Amino acid sequence: MSREFIPLPDAGPDPIMAANQAWPAFAQAHPDAVNTTIGVLVDPVSGNPWRPQTVTACRLNAFERTAATEAFGYQTPTGHVGFLTEASKLAFGESASYADGELVALQTAGGTGALSLADEILQELVPADSDGRIPLVLDAGWPNHQAIFRKPYAITTYEHSDPMTRTYNHAAALDAFDGAPEGSVFLLQSCGYNDDGNDRTPQQWQDILTIAEQKQAIVLFDSAYLGLAQGFEHDRSPIEESVRRELFTFVTFSASKNMGLYGERLGALFVANAEMHLGPGQTPRLGQLAARCVRRTESSLPTEVAMAAAEALSQQAYYAELSEARERLASNRAVFGEIVADVLPAVTEGHGLFTKLLTDGFTQPQLDVLRGEGIHVLPNSRINLGGLQPAKVERVGLAVLRALQAQ
Ligand SMILES: Cc1ncc(COP(=O)(O)O)c(C=O)c1O
């Protein structure tokens, strides 16, 4: 008789990854199929994942430089200084400087790695309440947040889109953040909100950050789409405001979408205003703690891709390519939004890759219509506008209109 193990619960597949895995079979079954599911920006001509040419050129450079210098060793657990310097400028602008020692910074395995590292650090840093929990108020929308921040977090969230108007539900957000216990963590999506594209206005950000001040909250910005919503300067403004207000500010940065480095896992975790919140001498210890977390997980992060990103981020050509990608996204949204305007007027107000059409997702008959027309969709009705080649946007818009007539 073999020994007994704990029966595994049926965790089921992640819905977005499941849709991605189903895509090849779907594409084979439908000529000219369109994929609206996974959050990847595509090249307008090839339809393959988009990567700026500047990044590709720098990537090749980095490969050659490594080979020529035989720099095949480990990196430090902190990561590539050049990359961290450039990425920190994108995220913080003038508000805090890594070069001047005002930030704790670590290279991570994508934005997800940065969130996981933030999770580990917060567990070490934040005293739990009497029930052993750390209260966390979440801008939900990306299901992986709840998978990353598990025990001991007590998660509260709210309905991010108003069910009637489908625009950002600021009243519900204020209620949720206002109702949070002192010392909570506020996990905020800084721009290009995944799943509905409904970003906050500057005034709405002020309101949320004022509550954060009152609650002495730790603000954790997930900035996976930095630069892709309304440009770096605009997209980082809530982060800058948080730093200026002297809030204890964590930022998770991802190079997946804005540099097309999905498969190479490049990101960063930054922490600002640590000294004023933790006390003198504690910031280097925070750095040590973070480096220890990296040491026992990845140990050392990829070097070449970080070298390439550092080089690309220092070139004007990269920013020109990113602007073009952002303009394509905005144009896709405008075309799609105009087609569905009578029934879904809020679509055009969003920013970034996503829009979410219906509060409760598509019904089965609606899914049948869309899939019958070769449009691969998520049941929750989140559409990735960045995944559409411009020539296919109209077709998707018209198919959605037809689907919405089916109950
Ligand atoms: C809101 C949000 N945060 C974080 C991430 C993680 O990004 P990465 O692919 O760099 O791990 C994503 C990716 O889809 C995301 O949508």
Side-chain angles (χ1 to χ4, degrees):
M1 165 96 175
S2 62
R3 56 175 287 202
E4 267 188 33
F5 289 97
I6 300 164
L8 295 174
D10 179 4
D14 173 282
I16 296 170
M17 289 302 164
N20 198 35
Q21 277 162 12
W23 166 247
F26 186 88
Q28 221 169 26
H30 301 85
D32 205 19
V34 182
N35 189 357
T36 72
T37 63
I38 190 148
V40 167
L41 272 176
V42 298
D43 181 275
V45 180
S46 72
N48 293 325
W50 170 79
R51 174 179 287 182
Q53 286 173 10
T54 319
V55 174
T56 300
C58 293
R59 189 71 189 83
L60 291 169
N61 254 342
F63 176 79
E64 281 173 9
R65 258 188 291 157
T66 307
T69 55
E70 298 189 354
F72 303 134
Y74 290 118
Q75 277 206 101
T76 63
T78 320
H80 191 274
V81 171
F83 163 66
L84 293 171
T85 306
E86 293 301 329
S88 67
K89 288 187 211 159
L90 301 183
F92 290 89
E94 300 292 315
S95 66
S97 156
Y98 174 56
D100 293 344
E102 293 166 349
L103 295 169
V104 174
L106 294 112
Q107 184 179 331
T108 59
T112 308
L115 286 159
S116 297
L117 182 57
D119 160 38
E120 290 205 46
I121 292 172
L122 291 170
Q123 289 199 39
E124 300 270 347
L125 204 60
V126 183
D129 64 16
S130 53
D131 296 328
R133 314 300 293 271
I134 298 174
L136 184 153
V137 189
L138 178 64
D139 269 354
W142 190 53
N144 214 18
H145 280 143
Q146 314 229 16
I148 295 168
F149 292 86
R150 294 187 296 171
K151 276 187 194 161
Y153 297 94
I155 294 185
T156 320
T157 188
Y158 62 96
E159 185 108 41
H160 189 259
S161 286
D162 181 308
M164 296 305 290
T165 63
R166 304 296 307 146
T167 55
Y168 167 56
N169 199 350
H170 193 46
L174 290 178
D175 269 359
F177 290 103
D178 221 10
E182 281 282 293
S184 294
V185 179
F186 288 3
L187 200 174
L188 303 164
Q189 290 199 41
S190 57
C191 64
Y193 195 97
N194 185 359
D195 54 0
D196 58 26
N198 293 333
D199 286 344
R200 298 188 171 94
T201 63
Q203 182 54 54
Q204 289 165 339
W205 275 114
Q206 300 283 0
D207 297 344
I208 300 290
L209 295 175
T210 298
I211 299 175
E213 279 175 348
Q214 289 161 355
K215 302 275 173 186
Q216 297 195 44
I218 298 170
V219 181
L220 167 53
F221 287 104
D222 178 344
S223 50
Y225 298 91
L226 209 63
L228 284 166
Q230 298 184 67
F232 285 114
E233 215 164 300
H234 178 281
D235 294 352
R236 69 171 165 252
S237 55
I239 299 172
E240 289 182 297
E241 182 59 18
S242 178
V243 176
R244 268 191 229 109
R245 285 178 178 240
E246 303 192 340
L247 285 156
F248 196 9
T249 306
F250 285 54
V251 175
T252 60
F253 174 87
S254 164
S256 300
K257 331 272 166 168
N258 54 18
M259 305 196 84
L261 291 168
Y262 306 93
E264 307 218 36
R265 312 314 299 136
L266 183 65
L269 173 69
F270 299 106
V271 188
N273 295 337
E275 190 77 13
M276 65 181 77
H277 288 274
L278 299 180
Q282 290 287 296
T283 306
R285 293 197 177 184
L286 179 65
Q288 280 170 0
L289 164 68
R292 284 289 183 144
C293 291
V294 174
R295 176 73 182 118
R296 76 178 135 77
T297 50
E298 288 93 355
S299 181
S300 170
L301 276 301
T303 316
E304 251 176 48
V305 67
M307 277 165 64
E311 193 187 342
L313 291 177
S314 65
Q315 292 187 13
Q316 234 6 77
Y318 162 73
Y319 296 94
E321 287 189 79
L322 188 77
S323 294
E324 282 170 22
R326 199 170 51 243
E327 280 157 22
R328 274 198 302 278
L329 261 179
S331 158
N332 279 3
R333 184 178 291 278
V335 173
F336 181 84
E338 198 182 332
I339 293 170
V340 299
D342 285 347
V343 275
L344 300 165
V347 169
T348 49
E349 289 184 35
H351 292 100
L353 279 69
F354 304 110
T355 186
K356 189 168 173 232
L357 305 179
L358 305 166
T359 305
D360 298 323
F362 292 122
T363 62
Q364 192 55 52
Q366 290 167 341
L367 283 173
D368 292 343
V369 171
L370 286 162
R371 289 172 178 165
E373 297 203 22
I375 316 293
H376 188 45
V377 289
L378 291 171
N380 76 358
S381 79
R382 185 195 79 172
I383 302 276
N384 171 20
L385 295 163
L388 308 181
Q389 290 169 272
K392 297 189 177 173
V393 178
E394 187 180 339
R395 193 175 129 216
V396 176
L398 293 172
V400 164
L401 272 189
R402 279 189 289 276
L404 292 183
Q405 281 159 14
Q407 286 312 307

